[in-house]
């Protein structure tokens, strides 16, 4: 049969892979070579809708056509790596794919496999079929995979989770699968080196067993014990991973591996400084085994007392009470063991006087009292001075103990709580393309408001300074490695990271973002014309986090057409506040240089101005500006800024119980603008109508709490209203971590109303200790500020309890 696109398309669309294979194999090599350009045009011209016509996704059949016609690995990889093709690698019939390649006598299959492996997403996936496809091509071509993050994650996932054809068959232990795997020596070392890879191990263990039993640490330890893996290398890699840190979820398998290896005293001695650092600075689950290892070293008389005392100074103020208590017991034992140096040890113990927990302070004071008779008068005087930070009735007890009045840290007549120092200044701007690339890579893993602002500001500044080539060179690997986060799909359309990805590609002239850019142009136009995010024509969120996405989209749309040298909305404080004098300087400079800031960049800048009275010279300087942006700035200052919205509590109730309505009652808040302040952004920011029943497992701003707070840093009541469902879920569901928003709101300004007090009440009732601690921090910050709120919080707690 003649090789035509119509015939191929008919078989592909019907899922007739056998027919596609016959069609390609029956053609001559000359016919296949001539057909290559037709296949390229057909795949590239399929369009978004064309991939889902009918019930069969055509990507698998197209993949057979690619391997059956393309003349080089580069051209084949370019087509197979297109987004709509790459998402269906798991569906490619590998046996037919390789049969076609063998029939053609292709000698570049290894090169193709390497190129495909480099495009594996740098993230764990539910199905490692993409890995299976890439590795099958590699093996058929006799090539080894590159040790990229996507390859390592895919390898781990396939080891930890059996393929569909094996899930109901008995599997050998993971140690056996590891031992027999030909890629073990190549891909195991990067498991310890790449940040976040440990989360694949933890997640796979949960999904397989339904419980946190993790076979990976035991399997690696078993291969160490039998000599398949070198113990010294694995232990050093494990300790190095713990020292470099990661999220707790990702560190857990390495903590378990460390315990399984059970380092000897000699091995601990070889890593003494690493263990000391882990004990002083590591997360709680890491600090505990480090403390255990160093204590064993000390009991063997192989730990320098100087190292112990220096490390203890940091450990005794750690928030983990169990770690601090254990350190106190250890130090007390050392003081008894070495009486000639008891003074140094006891003074170190006194460092726990500054611990936030009263019982730790009391225990430290008790231990000091036991050794006091043996101390020199100078040491006693120093201890009396250190006791000034004690809380409760402990200063009086310390005074009786030391025979002198202990000065309390709070001066007589001062308020009960010290005035908080205020938000810190923003860190210095990013200075180079290489630094920007590093920050972008970190942003994908750990988003924060400060990091977002520095990345957006640096992208515009470096592009405006003519650093386009340097940006392209530095950002290209990040864009490729993190393509999943930066590429638009049905699940992430309109997200801040997708908008940032479009901006990065536009700034570096990177191909492959045309459709996304078209969507963002439409969303930016709608936001300008209608003052709307979300809804028909716009995939941006209507919530405050959508402002961040809109600003990134604005950069993507305009960065190549208007040479703006800087953003004017970059805050001067880490809570998002912007100094009016700084904004005046920026707008005056823009006016002098003949450029105008982008619309939403300017609006975000105005929303960040503080509520306090503006200095007369700033008002005068703003009034002297003649540009459109300058006049808007002057009018904004003269009008008093953004009017405070009206917030009211609103009770959501569930009438029937189902999987998505497990919460019977939740108190949230409504928002209404009091008057129009003149900005396109404000209508949606100040209008909120919650649904009638609670939302199960709300997740509108997880991971971007700082960015949310920085949109309206001086209208914390409005931000709290948007965040209330997530804050409520800390108490009425088993959610965690979003409590960190509360201290950020407390550092802002603006009236404290029903939304913030209700959010704080939910935070104080949170199920997780870290969220309750964040709520306490916010309470203390607010209590030290000028806004009375304690009675309001009490009322909110009463309302919640009355339910």
């Amino acid at each position: 049969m003649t090789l035509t696109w119509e015939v191929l398309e008919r078989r592909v669309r019907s899922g007739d892979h056998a027919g596609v294979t016959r069609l390609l194999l029956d053609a001559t090599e000359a016919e296949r070579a001539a057909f290559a350009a037709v296949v390229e045009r057909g795949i590239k011209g399929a369009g978004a809708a064309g991939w889902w016509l009918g019930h069969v996704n055509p990507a698998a059949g197209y993949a057979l056509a690619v391997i059956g016609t393309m003349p080089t690995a580069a051209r084949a990889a370019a087509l197979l790596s297109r987004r709509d093709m790459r998402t269906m690698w798991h569906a490619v019939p590998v046996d037919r794919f390789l049969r076609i390649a063998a029939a053609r006598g292709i000698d570049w299959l290894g090169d193709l496999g390497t190129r495909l492996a480099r495009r594996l997403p740098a993230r764990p996936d539910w199905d490692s079929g993409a890995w299976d496809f890439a590795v099958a091509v590699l093996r058929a071509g006799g090539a080894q995979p590159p040790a990229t993050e996507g390859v390592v994650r895919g390898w781990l996932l396939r080891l930890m989770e059996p393929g569909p054809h094996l899930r109901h068959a008995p599997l050998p232990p993971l140690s056996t699968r590891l031992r027999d795997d030909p890629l073990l020596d190549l891909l195991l070392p990067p498991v310890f080196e790449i940040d976040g890879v440990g989360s694949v191990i933890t997640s796979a263990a949960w999904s397989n067993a339904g419980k946190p039993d993790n076979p990976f640490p035991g399997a690696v330890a078993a291969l160490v014990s039998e000599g398949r893996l070198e113990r010294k290398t694995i232990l050093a890699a494990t300790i190095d991973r713990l020292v470099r840190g990661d999220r707790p979820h990702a560190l857990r398998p390495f903590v378990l591996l460390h315990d399984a290896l059970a380092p000897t005293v000699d091995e601990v001695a070889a890593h003494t400084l690493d263990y000391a650092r882990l004990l002083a600075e590591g997360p709680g689950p890491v600090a505990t085994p480090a403390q255990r290892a160093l204590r064993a070293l000390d009991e063997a008389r192989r730990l320098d007392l100087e190292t112990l005392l220096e490390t203890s100074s940091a450990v005794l103020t750690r928030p983990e009470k169990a770690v601090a208590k254990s350190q106190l017991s250890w130090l007390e034992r050392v003081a008894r063991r070495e009486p000639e140096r008891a003074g140094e040890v006891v003074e170190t113990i006194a460092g726990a006087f500054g611990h936030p927990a009263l019982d730790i302070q009391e225990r430290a004071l008790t231990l000091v009292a036991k050794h006091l008779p043996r101390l020199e008068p100078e040491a006693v005087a120093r201890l009396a001075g250190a006791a000034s930070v004690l809380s409760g009735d402990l200063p009086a007890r310390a005074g009786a103990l030391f025979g002198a009045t202990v000065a309390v840290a709070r001066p007589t007549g001062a308020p009960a709580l010290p005035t908080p120092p205020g938000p810190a200044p923003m860190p210095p701007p990013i200075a180079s393309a290489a630094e920007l690339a590093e920050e972008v890579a970190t942003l994908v893993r750990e988003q924060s408001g400060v990091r977002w602002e520095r990345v957006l500001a640096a992208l515009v500044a470096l592009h405006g300074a003519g650093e386009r080539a340097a940006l392209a060179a530095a950002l290209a690997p990040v864009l490729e490695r993190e393509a999943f986060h930066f590429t638009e799909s049905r699940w992430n359309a309109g997200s801040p990271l997708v908008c940032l990805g479009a901006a990065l590609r536009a700034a570096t002239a990177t191909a492959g973002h045309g459709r996304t850019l078209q969507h963002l142009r439409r969303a930016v136009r709608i936001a300008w014309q209608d003052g709307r995010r979300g809804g028909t024509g716009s995939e941006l969120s209507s919530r405050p986090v959508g402002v961040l996405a809109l600003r990134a989209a604005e950069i993507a749309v305009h960065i190549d057409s208007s040479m703006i040298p800087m953003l004017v909305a970059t805050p001067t404080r880490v809570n998002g506040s912007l100094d009016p004098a700084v904004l005046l300087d920026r707008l005056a400079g823009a006016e002098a240089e003949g450029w105008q800031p982008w619309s939403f960049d300017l609006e975000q800048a105005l929303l960040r101005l503080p509520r306090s009275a503006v200095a007369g010279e700033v008002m005068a300087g703003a009034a002297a500006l003649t540009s459109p942006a300058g006049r808007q700035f002057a009018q904004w200052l003269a009008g008093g800024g953004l009017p405070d919205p009206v917030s009211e509590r609103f009770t959501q109730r569930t009438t029937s119980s189902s999987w998505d309505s497990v919460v019977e009652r939740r108190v949230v808040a409504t928002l209404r603008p009091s008057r129009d302040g003149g900005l396109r952004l404000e209508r949606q920011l100040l209008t909120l109508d919650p649904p009638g029943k609670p939302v199960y497992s709300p997740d509108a701003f997880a991971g971007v709490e700082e960015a949310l707070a920085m949109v309206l840093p001086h209208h914390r009541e409005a931000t709290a209203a948007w965040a209330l469902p997530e804050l409520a879920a800390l108490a009425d569901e088993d959610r965690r971590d979003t409590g960190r928003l509360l201290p950020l709101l407390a550092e802002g300004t603006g009236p404290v109303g029903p939304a913030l007090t209700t959010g704080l009440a939910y935070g104080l009732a949170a199920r997780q200790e870290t969220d309750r601690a964040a709520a306490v921090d916010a309470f203390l910050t607010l209590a030290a500020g000028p806004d009375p709120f304690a009675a309001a919080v009490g009322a909110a707690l009463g309302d919640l309890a009355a339910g």
Side-chain angles (χ1 to χ4, degrees):
M1 183 175 289
T2 305
L3 195 56
T4 66
W5 179 254
E6 290 73 20
V7 173
L8 175 68
E9 180 81 342
R10 186 166 56 252
R11 296 189 179 187
V12 165
R13 294 289 177 180
S14 64
D16 183 10
H17 296 157
V20 172
T21 303
R22 284 195 306 272
L23 182 68
L24 293 166
L25 293 181
D26 289 346
T28 66
E29 184 61 22
E31 290 172 329
R32 289 191 289 258
F35 195 53
V38 177
V39 171
E40 261 181 335
R41 286 194 302 272
I43 293 176
K44 291 179 179 180
W51 293 94
W52 294 101
L53 292 174
H55 299 289
V56 177
N57 187 293
Y62 286 161
L64 298 179
V66 168
I67 196 63
T69 60
M70 290 303 118
T72 66
R75 286 177 66 180
L79 289 173
L80 292 171
S81 299
R82 292 175 64 86
R83 181 169 62 87
D84 292 308
M85 294 285 286
R86 192 173 66 245
T87 57
M88 295 298 293
W89 282 359
H90 65 279
V92 176
V94 177
D95 54 343
R96 299 185 189 280
F97 187 92
L98 297 179
R99 179 184 167 195
I100 295 170
R104 292 187 63 200
I106 288 175
D107 59 1
W108 39 260
L109 208 54
D111 184 15
L112 174 61
T114 301
R115 292 171 184 267
L116 298 181
R118 291 189 183 279
R119 298 306 302 269
L120 288 171
R123 63 183 180 91
D125 205 347
W126 296 309
D127 187 355
S128 35
W131 156 261
D132 291 337
F133 172 60
V135 80
V137 177
L138 280 164
R139 286 173 178 163
Q144 291 278 62
T148 64
E149 184 173 353
V151 167
V152 173
R153 285 176 178 265
W155 176 72
L156 268 179
L157 191 63
R158 177 51 78 224
L159 277 170
M160 298 288 293
E161 295 186 351
H165 58 292
L166 296 174
R167 283 177 183 155
H168 302 293
L171 279 176
L174 180 59
S175 57
T176 302
R177 305 202 301 272
L178 274 172
R179 183 192 308 110
D180 296 342
D181 195 292
L183 299 176
L184 176 65
D185 295 321
L186 175 68
L187 298 183
L188 184 61
V191 170
F192 295 85
E193 297 164 2
I194 299 174
D195 292 346
V197 168
S199 62
V200 179
I201 303 170
T202 303
S203 299
W206 271 90
S207 64
N208 278 340
K211 54 185 179 180
D213 294 340
N214 198 319
F216 180 83
V220 174
L223 297 188
V224 168
S225 65
E226 68 185 45
R228 173 61 182 84
L229 298 173
E230 186 181 5
R231 179 179 177 86
K232 181 178 179 180
T233 300
I234 295 298
L235 179 60
T238 302
I239 295 172
D240 183 61
R241 175 69 270 171
L242 297 177
V243 168
R244 284 187 288 117
D246 211 332
R247 295 188 176 184
H249 187 69
L251 283 180
R252 177 173 173 77
F254 301 105
V255 174
L256 296 176
L257 175 57
H258 177 273
D259 292 345
L261 292 173
T264 65
V265 170
D266 288 339
E267 289 170 331
V268 173
H271 296 277
T272 300
L273 296 181
D274 289 331
Y275 281 108
R277 181 177 173 185
L278 290 174
L279 177 54
E281 304 173 9
V286 176
T288 299
Q291 186 180 55
R292 196 163 50 239
L294 287 176
R295 190 160 184 174
L297 190 65
D298 178 60
E299 290 172 355
R301 304 296 193 274
R302 297 180 63 177
L303 179 64
D304 291 339
L305 184 59
E306 287 74 15
T307 301
L308 172 59
L309 298 182
E310 182 179 349
T311 305
S312 297
S313 298
V315 176
L316 291 176
T317 55
R318 289 185 62 114
E320 300 90 355
K321 292 169 60 174
V323 175
K325 283 182 180 179
S326 181
Q327 198 73 11
L328 285 172
S329 299
W330 180 6
L331 288 171
E332 201 272 336
R333 183 172 180 176
V334 171
R336 286 189 281 107
R337 188 184 73 204
E338 302 186 29
E340 70 282 359
R341 302 193 67 176
E344 298 173 70
V345 178
V346 172
E347 287 193 58
T348 301
I349 288 174
F353 290 171
H355 196 279
L358 189 62
D359 58 330
I360 298 296
Q361 297 180 20
E362 184 176 19
R363 181 174 177 82
L365 186 60
T366 301
L367 294 179
V368 167
K370 290 175 60 177
H371 295 274
L372 200 60
R374 293 186 289 171
L375 302 184
E376 298 292 332
E378 296 82 1
V380 174
R382 289 193 293 271
L383 290 170
S388 64
V389 299
L390 291 168
S391 306
D393 64 343
L394 295 181
R397 290 174 55 185
L401 177 65
F402 298 127
T405 300
V406 173
V408 181
R410 184 176 69 250
T412 303
L417 291 169
T419 301
M426 281 286 287
I430 295 170
S432 68
E435 185 183 356
L436 174 60
E438 184 177 341
E439 281 296 295
V440 170
T442 306
L443 180 68
V444 173
R445 303 285 173 235
E446 188 174 352
Q447 298 186 54
S448 74
V450 171
R451 186 168 289 123
W452 264 106
E453 293 299 330
R454 296 181 76 231
V455 164
L456 294 180
L459 178 63
V460 174
L462 292 172
H463 182 271
E467 297 288 330
R468 187 170 190 158
L471 287 171
L475 291 170
V478 181
L479 286 169
E480 181 175 356
R481 186 171 66 248
E482 306 296 348
F484 171 76
H485 300 282
F486 291 140
T487 303
E488 184 181 13
S489 70
R490 71 184 69 182
W491 298 282
N492 66 1
S495 74
L497 283 175
V498 166
C499 297
L500 175 61
L504 295 174
R505 294 188 181 100
T508 57
T510 303
H513 68 292
R515 185 173 64 177
T516 300
L517 197 57
Q518 181 181 359
H519 294 169
L520 296 186
R521 284 197 184 98
R522 182 176 58 199
V524 171
R525 183 175 65 252
I526 289 172
W528 171 254
Q529 294 174 346
D530 302 342
R532 170 173 62 84
R533 302 181 309 279
T536 304
S538 174
E539 293 175 321
L540 304 181
S541 172
S542 60
R543 293 172 170 269
V545 73
V547 175
L548 175 63
L550 176 60
R551 292 176 59 216
E554 185 176 51
I555 296 173
V557 169
H558 295 308
I559 195 167
D560 234 7
S561 58
S562 55
M563 293 301 292
I564 299 295
M566 65 179 297
L567 296 178
V568 299
T570 304
T572 50
R573 296 281 172 178
V574 296
N575 69 333
S577 183
L578 175 57
D579 188 332
V582 172
L583 181 56
L584 173 61
D585 288 343
R586 291 173 182 172
L587 294 179
E591 189 170 300
E593 296 167 9
W595 58 272
Q596 285 288 301
W598 295 319
S599 301
F600 296 112
D601 179 38
L602 177 61
E603 289 201 359
Q604 175 64 95
L606 297 178
L607 291 173
R608 286 177 166 165
L609 295 176
R611 308 166 63 88
S612 55
V614 178
E617 55 269 24
V618 175
M619 294 290 290
L625 296 175
T626 59
S627 66
R631 291 197 301 272
Q632 188 175 4
F633 175 46
Q635 292 167 3
W636 184 261
L637 293 180
L642 183 69
D644 288 323
V646 177
S647 58
E648 295 181 355
R649 288 194 182 94
F650 174 78
T651 301
Q652 298 173 314
R653 297 185 184 276
T654 299
T655 56
S656 61
S657 180
S658 63
W659 72 269
D660 64 343
S661 58
V662 297
V663 179
E664 295 183 359
R665 175 181 178 273
R666 180 176 286 163
V667 179
V668 290
T670 62
L671 275 181
R672 287 290 180 276
S674 58
R675 61 181 175 84
D676 188 0
L679 299 185
R680 290 170 175 82
L681 290 178
E682 70 178 80
R683 179 170 59 83
Q684 283 185 300
L685 286 174
L686 303 186
T687 304
L688 174 59
D689 290 299
K693 73 173 188 176
V695 175
Y696 173 66
S697 194
D699 196 19
F701 65 89
V704 290
E705 292 85 1
E706 283 186 35
L708 176 73
M710 291 172 79
V711 173
L712 293 169
H714 302 293
H715 290 268
R716 54 193 174 189
E717 177 71 6
T719 304
W722 284 103
L724 260 179
E726 279 83 350
L727 295 174
L730 297 173
D732 60 28
E733 296 183 41
D734 196 16
R735 300 299 300 275
R736 64 177 67 222
D737 296 336
T738 48
R740 62 183 140 192
L741 176 65
L742 290 168
L744 300 175
L745 296 179
E747 287 187 346
T749 62
V752 176
L756 182 54
T757 53
T758 302
L760 191 60
Y762 273 122
L764 292 170
R767 298 190 180 187
Q768 303 299 326
E769 182 179 358
T770 54
D771 293 306
R772 294 196 299 273
V776 171
D777 288 344
F779 186 96
L780 295 176
T781 300
L782 289 166
D787 300 308
F789 81 107
V793 174
L797 285 168
D799 288 347
L800 295 178

